[in-house]
Amino acid sequence: MDLKEKLVSSFMAFENKVDVNAPLHEIRNEAIKIFEKNGFPSKKEEAWKYTSLNSILKENYSVFPKQENALDYKDVKSYMLHEMDTYKIVFIDGKYSSHLSQTTHDGFDVCLMSSALNNPKYRLVIENYFNKIAGKDGLTSLNTAFSTEGAYIHIKKNKLVNKPIQILHFSTGSEEAVMLQPRNLVVVDENSHVQIIERHQSLTDNPVLTNSVTEIFANKRAIVDYYKLQNDNENASLIDHTFVNQKQESHCSVHTFSFGGKLVRNNLNFYQNGERIDSTLNGITIIGEKQHVDHNTLVHHIEPNCESHQDYKGIFADKSTGVFNGKVIVNKEAQKTNAFQSNNNILLSDKATINSKPQLEIFADDVKCSHGCTIGQLDESAMFYLRSRGIPEKEAKALLMYAFSNNVLDTVKIPEVKLRVNNIIAEKLGVNLGFDL
């Protein structure tokens, strides 16, 4: 039995554990039908042309982890932003860990998706937002069919969240191979502001496949800063789907830092439904060995007087592979749009590969839109200059690569996140760059 057959047959057992009279029953049933029809994507599809899932789908994954392995704070402290005070929603092998979490209902809700799905108190928000912008492809529908747990964040009108929110998923190796499917819903009401950091981390050498879906709704004049830290081990794979719906005068930024994992695919989709909206999509990828990272982005400009900015930097060593497939769509009605997209890459090895495909589809005539892509190696003249100033070759390379990615780091608004990313970059480059707050 292959993984698709196993998942479809497991759905019946899953349905027996949940309330078939719940509002999501029909949504789940429709979703599993879509997955059964479409299955997993293949390289025959244009959006997956450079990324094959074959190597990660052959494992015999446990779909329902049997038990949670208890973890102490000391076991996971290094993966948390412990330097600052935050709300925390922590999951271990797909199950909520209350003793590692800090949630709240004080003026806004930072809690569990399972609570929101089953509590009438949250029903109106679930009915208005859950699964409203998520895609209907096979993988997203698979997550919808099995959606029970994840983060539920609802920031009510005119609220400035007093500290960032961390969403942390840990896998412990309690199974020989495990598949996790977290589902996050973030709703930020009018004039509110929130900062969120998300991380998936395997603590085991056993294979882990995470198929994650996040829906973000930024209502009028809302501000959302979202950071994804991806630095997993060589047997952990992540397929991440994030859908962002913005209303009038909202500002939303998503920073994706991809430093590790066997295979990572980030699907990031922005929909601008209002005027004077600002969208920012930034990313840094530094990988080596046989790692594979694929960024697939979409920004859909639907109404006039909006902006979008995309800046993705990649550094690829050894036999690693990078993919950037970015699309900007500007509707006929979306006049006065400013849309900018840039993808720049450095190959440190003759065997490293990058496939880049920036795309513009413009149907309006009064716009400023640009896209660009560069692929190259380190500047030899700059290397010579640094070496002539007495800087060793290893440190000189590290300084050039750090400078290459630094403009993306300048847009990070949480100092502790910036420091953590700087230190991960230094570790990846094998040098001490002396970062501190």
Side-chain angles (χ1 to χ4, degrees):
M1 181 184 296
D2 64 17
L3 183 57
K4 178 185 174 182
E5 293 172 339
K6 182 177 182 178
L7 287 163
V8 172
S9 61
S10 298
F11 182 74
M12 295 298 294
F14 170 78
E15 278 286 82
N16 290 333
K17 298 179 182 179
V18 297
D19 183 5
V20 295
N21 296 314
L24 296 186
H25 177 65
E26 291 186 10
I27 294 175
R28 288 193 178 108
N29 274 282
E30 184 61 31
I32 197 65
K33 290 177 184 176
I34 294 174
F35 173 71
E36 188 173 12
K37 177 183 178 182
N38 296 337
F40 292 102
S42 72
K43 295 180 74 172
K44 293 179 181 179
E45 300 176 35
E46 184 63 27
W48 291 82
K49 184 176 180 180
Y50 301 110
T51 298
S52 171
L53 299 181
N54 291 340
S55 64
I56 64 174
L57 296 182
K58 64 184 181 181
E59 301 288 348
N60 184 25
Y61 294 106
S62 171
V63 180
F64 308 114
K66 294 182 177 63
Q67 62 182 15
E68 170 197 327
N69 276 2
L71 292 176
D72 293 326
Y73 176 68
K74 62 179 176 60
D75 298 323
V76 296
K77 178 182 176 181
S78 63
Y79 302 109
M80 296 180 173
L81 289 172
H82 55 84
E83 304 90 349
M84 63 189 299
D85 188 21
T86 64
Y87 296 108
K88 301 176 187 68
I89 313 173
V90 181
F91 303 93
I92 302 174
D93 294 328
K95 296 179 175 60
Y96 175 63
S97 174
S98 58
H99 75 283
L100 292 176
S101 299
Q102 180 188 349
T103 60
T104 183
H105 298 282
D106 185 14
F108 46 86
D109 296 311
V110 179
C111 60
L112 305 181
M113 180 63 82
S114 58
S115 299
L117 293 177
N118 297 310
N119 191 330
K121 173 184 175 182
Y122 305 108
R123 179 161 294 176
L124 184 61
V125 175
I126 293 297
E127 288 179 351
N128 288 336
Y129 293 102
F130 182 83
N131 206 44
K132 297 304 182 190
I133 55 171
K136 300 299 185 286
D137 60 285
L139 281 168
T140 307
S141 296
L142 175 63
N143 178 284
T144 301
F146 286 92
S147 58
T148 56
E149 197 57 284
Y152 173 87
I153 299 171
H154 181 201
I155 311 303
K156 297 171 185 176
K157 187 176 179 180
N158 299 323
K159 295 290 182 181
L160 173 62
V161 181
N162 58 330
K163 54 188 178 182
I165 301 167
Q166 293 191 74
I167 305 172
L168 298 145
H169 297 270
F170 296 105
S171 53
T172 65
S174 60
E175 309 279 347
E176 290 187 6
V178 66
M179 183 175 186
L180 304 173
Q181 302 202 71
R183 181 66 170 246
N184 304 318
L185 177 63
V186 179
V187 179
V188 186
D189 286 344
E190 188 174 333
N191 297 320
S192 292
H193 182 193
V194 67
Q195 296 176 316
I196 300 171
I197 305 109
E198 179 185 18
R199 182 164 189 166
H200 301 264
Q201 187 66 47
S202 173
L203 307 176
T204 173
D205 290 330
N206 293 350
V208 178
L209 172 58
T210 301
N211 178 38
S212 177
V213 173
T214 300
E215 293 179 284
I216 301 172
F217 295 85
N219 289 309
K220 289 183 179 180
R221 293 180 294 279
I223 301 175
V224 181
D225 296 320
Y226 205 104
Y227 301 92
K228 296 175 180 288
L229 299 181
Q230 301 168 349
N231 189 28
D232 222 331
N233 67 36
E234 61 184 15
N235 289 316
S237 296
L238 170 66
I239 304 173
D240 184 84
H241 318 262
T242 301
F243 304 90
V244 182
N245 185 67
Q246 292 184 250
K247 295 294 187 181
Q248 178 180 339
E249 297 178 26
S250 63
H251 292 248
C252 186
S253 65
V254 176
H255 288 71
T256 306
F257 300 107
S258 301
F259 302 125
K262 181 177 181 178
L263 183 150
V264 177
R265 164 78 175 216
N266 291 298
N267 297 314
L268 181 55
N269 301 271
F270 275 70
Y271 303 97
Q272 296 186 336
N273 288 290
E275 295 193 40
R276 294 178 293 281
I277 290 172
D278 193 290
S279 305
T280 300
L281 301 77
N282 287 340
I284 297 175
T285 300
I286 304 177
I287 56 173
E289 298 178 348
K290 294 183 179 180
Q291 294 174 317
H292 183 110
V293 172
D294 181 345
H295 295 286
N296 191 285
T297 70
L298 166 68
V299 179
H300 194 164
H301 291 268
I302 299 169
E303 299 193 32
N305 302 304
C306 296
E307 293 191 8
S308 67
H309 305 266
Q310 298 186 60
D311 191 2
Y312 280 78
K313 299 292 182 69
I315 299 174
F316 304 94
D318 305 321
K319 296 181 180 180
S320 62
T321 301
V323 181
F324 176 79
N325 192 344
K327 180 183 288 187
V328 176
I329 301 175
V330 182
N331 281 13
K332 183 178 180 180
E333 297 78 16
Q335 304 293 341
K336 304 293 183 181
T337 289
N338 291 336
F340 306 97
Q341 182 188 86
S342 176
N343 174 229
N344 300 299
N345 306 281
I346 291 177
L347 300 180
L348 300 178
S349 164
D350 291 339
K351 296 181 179 180
T353 304
I354 174 69
N355 299 285
S356 184
K357 186 181 179 183
Q359 304 172 70
L360 296 176
E361 295 184 10
I362 304 172
F363 302 97
D365 52 17
D366 187 8
V367 300
K368 293 180 181 178
C369 297
S370 67
H371 66 172
C373 166
T374 63
I375 301 171
Q377 298 176 325
L378 290 175
D379 187 336
E380 291 185 4
S381 60
M383 274 290 295
F384 177 79
Y385 175 83
L386 292 174
R387 293 297 307 280
S388 68
R389 295 301 184 270
I391 299 176
E393 181 178 3
K394 185 177 181 180
E395 283 72 15
K397 284 183 177 180
L399 285 171
L400 289 177
M401 288 186 283
Y402 178 76
F404 170 75
S405 59
N406 190 52
N407 63 316
V408 172
L409 291 170
D410 283 343
T411 61
V412 175
K413 298 176 183 177
I414 304 176
E416 290 82 359
V417 172
K418 186 174 183 178
L419 175 62
R420 178 62 62 91
V421 173
N422 276 329
N423 286 330
I424 293 175
I425 290 176
E427 181 183 350
K428 294 289 289 186
L429 300 180
V431 296
N432 181 7
L433 296 176
F435 295 114
D436 201 353
L437 283 176

